[in-house]
């Protein structure tokens, strides 16, 4: 932190400092921080990192470089553990536009790419020792999602959409898919028309988190709304016949993930539901309602695309047929049960283990939501 600066005041946007940072740190110098970052990003590409993964690494490394440049640190060899700890303290005292601090999970997310970067710089011999080797990360806080809709509230949001317009019909189909599948916003933004298998009422999520594909149930109700959107609305939004994205904006382009969150959050608020969140609100709602309906945790993990849930060892690959039956039996938006009916948990999982696993899953969803909210708040950088 600069001398004399108040610890809680708003810091300048480091992007404004980028223009003053030469591409190589100094004229003719190929070992500056910016040049080192570009070599590292090339390494990530060679190792098979996705463009999104490379973009996130670049974003957080650039934020650090701008911070360091303002303090006269322009070379990797000038970065010591003390410098990194000073940056951690700066992140701790940083305040967003609304005056709130960065969440711990966001602070972790900004430090982890730096650890990978300096580890690589050490391995390739560009710096003699890794300054981030023993850097302590902010601890992870286990918490449940802050807002989950009831089945009644979910139905109220869906019913509040005016489906007589192309955009209204698109939004109803979009939320039906989110409610039925619990997709991440990036996954539904990238969803293509051909990813919907109408005959089997399933959807293929391509290159989800961890670059993994997964096939999950869509359900007949969501499928009906998707068909209606395709038949009546999408052709009015699309201007490029070669555009295969399922959900389009009013100019015919695919919806961006950040705009998706804003769009869905507005729909929830317009229905009078006092629950914060966009796409991840539907994700949490789907998982919670299936849990309450008696679904086995491993089936919900398969729906969400979680390879592992912290503190549990119960993940198992589930065949799509069995997953479809569980989905139809436990999801209230797919197959509503008579009023007052209850479902018994499937399988012989001990109650205590089931409750612990369910809590771990919901905590993981809570951390995921917090990370997504921080990403939205900080989309332009610090």
């Amino acid at each position: 932190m600069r001398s004399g600066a108040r610890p809680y005041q708003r810091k300048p946007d480091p992007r404004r400092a980028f223009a003053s940072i030469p591409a190589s740190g100094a004229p003719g110098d190929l070992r500056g921080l910016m040049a080192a970052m570009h070599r590292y990003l090339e390494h990530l590409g060679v190792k098979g990192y996705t463009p999104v993964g490379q973009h996130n690494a670049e974003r957080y490394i650039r934020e650090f470089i701008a911070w360091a440049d303002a303090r006269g640190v322009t070379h990797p060899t000038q970065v010591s553990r003390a410098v990194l700890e000073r940056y951690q303290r700066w992140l701790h005292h940083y305040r967003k536009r609304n005056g709130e601090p960065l969440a711990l999970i966001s602070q972790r997310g900004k430090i982890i790419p730096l650890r990978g970067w300096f580890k690589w710089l050490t391995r390739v011999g560009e710096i003699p020792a890794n300054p981030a080797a023993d850097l302590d990360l902010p601890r992870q806080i286990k918490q449940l999602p802050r807002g989950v809709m009831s089945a009644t509230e979910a139905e109220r949001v869906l019913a509040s959409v005016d489906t007589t317009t192309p955009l209204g019909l698109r939004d109803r189909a979009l939320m039906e898919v989110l409610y039925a599948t619990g997709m991440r916003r990036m996954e539904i933004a990238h969803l293509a028309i051909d990813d919907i298998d109408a005959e089997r009422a399933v959807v293929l999520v391509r290159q989800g988190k961890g670059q993994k594909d997964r096939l999950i149930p869509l359900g007949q109700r969501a499928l009906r709304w998707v068909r209606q959107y395709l038949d009546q609305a999408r052709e009015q939004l699309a201007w490029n016949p070669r555009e295969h994205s399922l959900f389009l904006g009013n100019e015919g382009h695919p919806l961006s993930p950040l705009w998706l969150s804003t769009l869905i959050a507005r729909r929830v608020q317009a229905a009078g539901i006092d629950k914060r969140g966009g796409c991840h609100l539907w994700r949490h709602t789907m998982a919670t309602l299936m849990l309450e309906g008696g679904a086995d945790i491993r089936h919900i993990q398969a729906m969400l695309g979680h390879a592992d849930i912290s503190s549990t060892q119960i993940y198992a690959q589930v065949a799509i047929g069995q997953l479809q039956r569980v989905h139809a039996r436990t999801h209230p938006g797919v197959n509503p049960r008579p009023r007052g009916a209850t479902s018994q948990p499937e399988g012989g999982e001990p109650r205590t283990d089931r409750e612990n696993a369910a809590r771990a899953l919901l905590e993981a969803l809570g951390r995921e939501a917090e990370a997504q909210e921080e990403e939205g708040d900080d989309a332009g950088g610090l």
Side-chain angles (χ1 to χ4, degrees):
M1 187 179 300
R2 293 183 184 276
S3 174
R6 296 172 58 214
Y8 296 104
Q9 76 180 70
R10 176 79 182 168
K11 301 300 186 296
D13 188 339
R15 292 174 297 168
R16 298 175 182 173
F18 288 161
S20 65
I21 306 176
S24 301
D29 184 0
L30 298 179
R31 298 182 64 82
L33 286 171
M34 288 294 284
M37 178 194 71
H38 287 303
R39 290 193 291 275
Y40 177 61
L41 294 175
E42 181 184 36
H43 161 74
L44 294 182
V46 171
K47 296 295 289 183
Y49 276 62
T50 64
V52 172
Q54 294 177 63
H55 168 77
N56 289 337
E58 179 177 5
R59 170 187 165 192
Y60 295 131
I61 293 174
R62 276 183 176 271
E63 288 179 357
F64 169 74
I65 290 175
W67 176 91
D69 179 76
R71 291 153 180 80
V73 177
T74 60
H75 292 251
T77 53
Q78 294 176 298
V79 179
S80 63
R81 173 163 179 169
V83 169
L84 293 176
E85 289 177 340
R86 186 182 176 194
Y87 182 58
Q88 279 190 298
R89 290 194 297 272
W90 185 83
L91 291 174
H92 172 73
H93 290 294
Y94 180 83
R95 293 298 179 265
K96 297 182 290 187
R97 291 181 180 87
N98 60 7
E100 294 181 356
L102 293 176
L104 290 178
I105 193 170
S106 184
Q107 295 177 44
R108 286 176 62 93
K110 294 176 186 296
I111 294 296
I112 288 175
L114 299 182
R115 296 211 308 182
W117 182 34
F118 285 108
K119 180 179 180 180
W120 177 79
L121 287 172
T122 306
R123 190 170 69 245
V124 298
E126 295 203 17
I127 55 178
N130 182 0
D134 299 318
L135 193 65
D136 293 328
L137 293 174
R139 67 190 183 94
Q140 287 186 315
I141 302 296
K142 292 186 176 182
Q143 60 180 22
L144 300 180
R146 284 173 287 182
V148 173
M149 291 185 289
S150 66
T152 301
E153 289 173 328
E155 295 298 336
R156 192 201 310 176
V157 175
L158 294 170
S160 70
V161 181
D162 178 6
T163 58
T164 62
T165 66
L167 293 180
L169 190 50
R170 177 205 64 188
D171 292 353
R172 177 65 188 263
L174 178 62
M175 289 192 291
E176 288 282 357
V177 172
L178 286 171
Y179 186 30
T181 66
M183 284 188 193
R184 300 178 177 94
R185 65 181 181 186
M186 185 69 73
E187 294 169 344
I188 200 165
H190 291 166
L191 202 62
I193 297 174
D194 292 342
D195 293 333
I196 304 293
D197 185 339
E199 184 176 347
R200 294 194 291 165
V202 297
V203 57
L204 176 61
V205 180
R206 298 181 186 274
Q207 298 293 287
K209 193 170 184 180
Q211 296 182 265
K212 295 178 180 178
D213 295 349
R214 69 183 188 279
L215 190 66
I216 55 177
L218 179 59
Q220 290 296 333
R221 190 175 86 169
L223 179 60
R224 285 196 301 271
W225 281 103
V226 169
R227 280 174 167 162
Q228 191 172 343
Y229 160 70
L230 289 173
D231 293 340
Q232 302 176 23
R234 189 182 182 278
E235 62 181 10
Q236 299 183 51
L237 301 175
W239 59 268
N240 182 359
R242 290 176 294 182
E243 176 57 68
H244 297 295
S245 296
L246 178 59
F247 295 111
L248 303 176
N250 55 9
E251 295 182 352
H253 300 295
L255 295 171
S256 74
L258 285 177
W259 171 242
L260 261 175
S261 288
T262 302
L263 171 67
I264 300 304
R266 288 176 179 175
R267 286 295 189 185
V268 173
Q269 292 169 3
I273 303 299
D274 187 21
K275 299 290 174 64
R276 181 181 177 185
C279 297
H280 62 267
L281 175 60
W282 288 102
R283 182 171 170 85
H284 300 161
T285 298
M286 184 278 294
T288 302
L289 294 181
M290 284 186 68
L291 275 172
E292 292 176 351
D296 192 290
I297 307 300
R298 68 180 183 273
H299 294 131
I300 301 174
Q301 287 181 235
M303 290 287 298
L304 296 173
H306 283 169
D308 181 48
I309 296 296
S310 177
S311 78
T312 68
Q313 301 290 329
I314 61 173
Y315 179 77
Q317 185 63 40
V318 181
I320 185 63
Q322 184 184 12
L323 186 55
Q324 281 184 290
R325 290 191 293 272
V326 172
H327 183 253
R329 188 167 67 251
T330 63
H331 194 303
V334 173
N335 185 23
R337 293 181 295 280
R339 190 176 185 86
T342 59
S343 297
Q344 296 299 321
E346 15 148 346
E349 193 176 348
R351 181 175 180 83
T352 301
D353 290 347
R354 175 181 170 79
E355 291 174 348
N356 290 341
R359 183 175 182 83
L361 183 141
L362 293 175
E363 288 171 348
L365 282 171
R367 292 193 297 272
E368 185 178 87
E370 189 173 352
Q372 183 166 288
E373 288 176 9
E374 291 291 346
E375 182 181 345
D377 289 341
D378 303 334
L382 292 181

